[in-house]
Amino acid sequence: MTLFRIILSIAACAIAASALAVTIPAAPKVYDVAVTVDDASASIEVDINMSLSEIALKSDSELIFTPLIINSEGTDSLELEPVTLCGRNRWYWYLRQGVFDKEPDARIFRAGKSGHVHLTDKVHFEPWMSHCTVELRQDAATCCKTPQTVPGTSPHGYTELARIDTDRPALIEEYVFAPPVDDAPVEKNIEGKAFVSFVVNRTELKPDYMVNRREIAKILNSIDYVRNDSDAVITGVHIKGFASPEGSYTNNIRLAKGRTQTLSNYVRDLYHFEEGIVTNSFEPEDWEGLRSYVADSTDYNIEHRQEILAIIDSSMEPDPKNTFIQRTYPADYKVILKEIYPWLRHSDYTVKYRIKVYTDLNALNRIYASDPSRLRPVDFYTVAAQYPEGSQKYLEVMKTAVEVYPDDPMLNLNAANIALMDGDYDRVQSHLLKAGNTPQADFARGVLAARRGDYNEASERFTKAKQGGVEKAAAYLENIAAIKDHHAVTITAELTKENKVKE
């Protein structure tokens, strides 16, 4: 509940007299009412200022003014502390009773002697007070007789001063899900490393040499995995060969290039790939791999690790660099030559393939169930569209989509909408950072601002979204305007400025 401080200036609030024995020459003037509803303290405070100066009473008469809070149905009410205005004899009767000694703050005043009276009370706010009225009941009495209520004009028979409605219009819940625009086929890779061995200083491939059958099988198994996949088509096989820094750089160029070409030809001929499917490249000496092994591995006893790393990182040419390490740190070089250089003679391979594009919903559902990463962004929207927008199934598909494509703008927009439904505003903000600057994204940012109570920001966002063609933005603009224009307390008495009383 929001803090409302509404000052109602109510002038010349005339309280009609009934046909009682009491004669009331003039009614009290109630001219200022302040109602404060404080959510933090769960309280309601009522301040009423009125003037009794124009009321004359018979000696034995009195008037009792009681502020009340009454709910709209009249089933709940709360009386606040009353004010009593009495004639001469009644005034002295209260004096003889010692009322003012017992209650120095008693709200009892003598007619003709009293002017401005300020009533203030603070009570615990109850739920029923959300829809209620602040009213003033007037009871008239003579000596020793039961007070009788002077009928008022409100539905409850009193004088209505203010009407309280603390419930703002509810914020509507509308979302705009947008289909992804990326409909390009899904491209995937299988990558690996094969340690194919060659006879020293030779480039011919011998499949049965050392452990070559096992290492070549790594490449072939990756290719076969894709070939046996009915949803995939191989678009390329790339092999990159590396040699170790041992030996001359010129000879290592020859070896790396020749060995890589030989392995590529073997794979191409084995599968009868079309021209251009199998490609290759080479790196004469894998200094980057050497640095990684020396720096990160604790399996090798290298005493001068930092010094060797400094040499590797230096601007020396490859051959002098290798020779310098060998001559400066011979013991460490023996370890490197035996334990690390063999791992630098490798062939990295990448099998590239494309997932077939399907438009049939059954096929898309099958792929979604088995491996969602094979769907295009637009395919997720097609799968989701078979369910009602915003349903649990719909949301599950959209959540999966953004997990597969975490940087896709439209999928992040849809994920932001889901987070809005969940009330997770931090997650909403995270997704909106990747949602782009479309009208749909402006709409979602408007919803977030409205949820956080920033109605000015929300109005700006919804205005942009509306200008961009988002129809739902118009309803939000009206909804926010109604919320901003809502008043918790409204004036229900006619104001007469000429009769306003100043303190």
Side-chain angles (χ1 to χ4, degrees):
M1 198 178 303
T2 309
L3 173 66
F4 303 100
R5 178 73 181 177
I6 310 297
I7 305 297
L8 307 180
S9 295
I10 305 177
C13 181
I15 304 178
S18 64
L20 298 172
V22 180
T23 300
I24 309 174
K29 288 181 171 60
V30 179
Y31 57 91
D32 282 328
V33 175
V35 177
T36 303
V37 180
D38 191 347
D39 181 57
S41 61
S43 65
I44 180 169
E45 185 174 355
V46 177
D47 289 87
I48 303 173
N49 288 292
M50 63 183 182
S51 175
L52 308 177
S53 60
E54 299 181 23
I55 300 176
L57 293 178
K58 290 183 178 181
S59 184
D60 292 331
S61 301
E62 68 181 16
L63 291 175
I64 305 168
F65 303 102
T66 306
L68 304 99
I69 300 175
I70 309 173
N71 75 335
S72 55
E73 295 82 9
T75 55
D76 290 287
S77 64
L78 179 65
E79 291 188 1
L80 306 182
E81 187 175 348
V83 169
T84 301
L85 182 68
C86 53
R88 178 181 180 279
N89 290 345
R90 290 297 292 167
W91 170 260
Y92 283 110
W93 181 85
Y94 281 113
L95 286 176
R96 290 192 300 270
Q97 298 300 314
V99 171
F100 299 107
D101 294 329
K102 299 174 183 176
E103 300 178 46
D105 297 327
R107 296 176 177 179
I108 301 174
F109 302 92
R110 181 177 174 178
K113 302 293 185 180
S114 303
H116 171 262
V117 176
H118 179 209
L119 311 181
T120 180
D121 282 287
K122 186 174 183 179
V123 298
H124 182 72
F125 188 88
E126 301 291 346
W128 60 264
M129 294 178 184
S130 296
H131 301 277
C132 64
T133 54
V134 177
E135 304 193 15
L136 191 63
R137 187 182 70 211
Q138 180 178 339
D139 296 314
T142 56
C143 181
C144 303
K145 290 185 179 181
T146 303
Q148 299 179 52
T149 300
V150 179
T153 58
S154 79
H156 305 116
Y158 313 129
T159 298
E160 184 177 294
L161 303 180
R163 187 166 295 167
I164 302 173
D165 180 2
T166 60
D167 291 341
R168 288 179 181 267
L171 188 64
I172 60 177
E173 294 188 15
E174 291 286 343
Y175 309 95
V176 174
F177 288 87
V181 295
D182 186 0
D183 58 357
V186 175
E187 303 281 352
K188 299 176 79 68
N189 296 329
I190 298 177
E191 298 178 346
K193 212 181 276 286
F195 297 91
V196 179
S197 300
F198 291 84
V199 175
V200 175
N201 213 33
R202 305 287 300 210
T203 61
E204 298 89 349
L205 175 64
K206 295 185 177 182
D208 293 317
Y209 183 65
M210 300 182 70
V211 294
N212 282 354
R213 285 292 177 190
R214 183 192 68 194
E215 295 303 310
I216 294 173
K218 294 179 181 178
I219 304 174
L220 305 185
N221 290 341
S222 298
I223 295 173
D224 290 340
Y225 173 83
V226 179
R227 281 167 53 88
N228 294 330
D229 187 343
S230 60
D231 296 321
V233 176
I234 291 178
T235 58
V237 177
H238 185 78
I239 299 174
K240 182 176 183 179
F242 295 82
S244 66
E246 179 187 8
S248 72
Y249 191 80
T250 301
N251 190 51
N252 284 336
I253 291 177
R254 179 185 68 83
L255 292 176
K257 181 178 181 179
R259 290 170 177 178
T260 302
Q261 186 64 57
T262 301
L263 181 58
S264 299
N265 293 342
Y266 177 83
V267 171
R268 181 198 63 199
D269 296 341
L270 186 64
Y271 287 97
H272 305 289
F273 281 124
E274 296 179 1
E275 190 69 28
I277 294 294
V278 179
T279 57
N280 64 76
S281 60
F282 66 93
E283 187 75 32
E285 296 180 357
D286 189 4
W287 284 95
E288 182 178 344
L290 174 60
R291 190 191 196 291
S292 178
Y293 276 108
V294 172
D296 300 334
S297 178
T298 58
D299 296 335
Y300 312 120
N301 184 21
I302 300 177
E303 182 179 354
H304 301 90
R305 190 183 305 273
Q306 297 304 320
E307 292 84 351
I308 292 174
L309 287 174
I311 296 171
I312 294 174
D313 294 337
S314 71
S315 59
M316 296 173 62
E317 292 297 320
D319 286 346
K321 186 183 296 187
N322 181 69
T323 301
F324 188 67
I325 296 173
Q326 181 181 11
R327 292 177 178 176
T328 307
Y329 306 106
D332 289 334
Y333 186 81
K334 288 181 180 179
V335 175
I336 292 173
L337 184 65
K338 179 181 179 182
E339 303 292 345
I340 296 180
Y341 274 2
W343 295 106
L344 304 182
R345 305 167 195 139
H346 57 92
S347 299
D348 292 356
Y349 62 90
T350 302
V351 180
K352 303 177 181 180
Y353 61 100
R354 177 186 300 125
I355 301 300
K356 295 179 181 178
V357 174
Y358 291 99
T359 57
D360 177 68
L361 184 58
N362 290 331
L364 293 176
N365 282 334
R366 173 180 60 79
I367 296 174
Y368 176 76
S370 61
D371 185 359
S373 69
R374 293 179 165 223
L375 293 179
R376 301 172 298 167
V378 70
D379 294 332
F380 283 99
Y381 185 80
T382 303
V383 173
Q386 65 186 309
Y387 308 110
E389 185 175 292
S391 65
Q392 190 61 37
K393 285 286 188 179
Y394 184 97
L395 300 182
E396 287 178 3
V397 176
M398 288 301 179
K399 286 181 180 179
T400 303
V402 80
E403 291 174 0
V404 175
Y405 296 100
D407 296 319
D408 184 276
M410 288 298 120
L411 293 179
N412 272 283
L413 171 62
N414 294 336
N417 285 328
I418 296 172
L420 280 168
M421 293 179 176
D422 295 337
D424 188 344
Y425 298 151
D426 289 339
R427 185 158 53 94
V428 175
Q429 186 67 49
S430 176
H431 285 301
L432 287 179
L433 291 174
K434 301 179 180 180
N437 296 306
T438 63
Q440 294 85 353
D442 278 321
F443 183 89
R445 292 185 177 104
V447 176
L448 177 61
R451 293 285 184 83
R452 286 176 164 171
D454 189 347
Y455 298 119
N456 291 332
E457 170 71 11
S459 295
E460 291 179 9
R461 292 291 185 177
F462 287 130
T463 298
K464 290 180 63 177
K466 181 181 178 182
Q467 293 171 347
V470 180
E471 295 180 359
K472 290 182 178 181
Y476 258 112
L477 287 170
E478 293 178 2
N479 181 224
I480 289 175
I483 292 172
K484 292 173 68 175
D485 293 341
H486 173 73
H487 297 287
V489 179
T490 56
I491 298 172
T492 55
E494 185 178 352
L495 300 178
T496 306
K497 294 182 180 180
E498 290 80 3
N499 294 334
K500 183 172 179 180
V501 180
K502 295 183 179 180
E503 295 188 33

